[in-house]
Amino acid sequence: MTKKDVASADERPGRRHQILAIAAQLFARKGYRGTSMRDIGEQAGVLGGSLYHHIKSKDALFVELHDAALDEAQGRIVAAIATRADPWDRLEAACACLLDIQLAPDSLTLPMMNDFREVPEAVRELLVARRDRFEGVFRELVDALPLPESIDPSIYRNLLLSQLNSAADWYRPGRLESGMIAAQIVTIFRHE
């Protein structure tokens, strides 16, 4: 294979998508610090500087993958709540959907969202800004709930999201499905 053959193979349609998928898996498995551009290039079969034809930098790549994971998750949650009118039903549907995403064995959302401490400050600011927009869905859902005035909606939302985002730490498949867990969480958070 000549250099020209390698270059044309690197430019074929879908190649960038393939590199992104490989990078996402590496970031999910090894974290931000544990993943190098060399690792990505080797896994993708891309030689040296050719990787930078597809990817600007490791930081830009991580932000792109993080944002894409949250975009997909947010789209799924918005679709899950679209047909529901009752605020508690909407919250339960959103919780069930987020748990489905977080508990999926191949989930990229959870590892990408939980690597904030590993990234440079400038990258962290971008990730936090995107995460805050994602949480806006839950902000609206919580604001629509008939909560007592003594409950701060911001604290409520953060505690709820903490519960949902940590479920992968204790969940074991078998006894309860994500929808049942979501129903239990909402029942506990409903305070009735």
Side-chain angles (χ1 to χ4, degrees), residues 35 38-39 54 82 87 94 130 135:
T35 303
R38 172 179 272 169
D39 294 335
H54 302 281
R130 179 60 188 96
E135 289 180 2

Side-chain angles (χ1 to χ4, degrees), residues 144-158:
L145 296 174
L147 296 175
E149 287 185 26
S150 60
I151 295 180
D152 182 302
S154 178
I155 294 172
Y156 183 98
R157 183 186 72 254
N158 284 313

Side-chain angles (χ1 to χ4, degrees), residues 47-178:
L47 302 174
S50 297
L51 185 59
Y52 290 97
H53 172 74
H54 302 281
I55 308 299
K56 180 180 172 186
S57 68
K58 178 179 169 179
D59 291 349
L61 175 60
F62 191 81
V63 169
E64 180 179 353
L65 292 169
H66 171 271
D67 290 357
L70 285 184
D71 290 347
E72 181 182 341
Q74 186 170 344
R76 287 178 58 186
I77 292 167
V78 168
I81 65 175
T83 61
R84 317 264 175 144
D86 179 77
W88 293 108
D89 288 344
R90 289 171 58 82
L91 182 66
E92 186 174 323
C95 291
C97 187
L98 184 56
L99 283 172
D100 279 343
I101 293 164
Q102 298 289 47
L103 298 177
D106 60 348
S107 175
L108 297 177
T109 307
L110 185 62
M112 298 299 277
M113 288 179 64
N114 290 335
D115 217 4
F116 284 16
R117 289 172 188 80
E118 300 291 319
V119 299
E121 183 62 33
V123 173
R124 184 178 306 119
E125 289 174 11
L126 295 171
L127 301 181
V128 168
R130 179 60 188 96
R131 183 202 59 202
D132 289 348
R133 289 192 308 276
F134 170 80
E135 289 180 2
V137 173
F138 283 89
R139 187 175 298 109
E140 290 175 13
L141 290 168
V142 169
D143 287 348
L145 296 174
L147 296 175
E149 287 185 26
S150 60
I151 295 180
D152 182 302
S154 178
I155 294 172
Y156 183 98
R157 183 186 72 254
N158 284 313
L159 289 172
L160 176 65
L161 287 170
S162 293
Q163 286 298 313
L164 295 168
N165 289 328
S166 67
D169 294 339
W170 55 264
Y171 175 76
R172 299 296 172 263
R175 193 168 80 84
L176 295 174
E177 297 301 319
S178 58

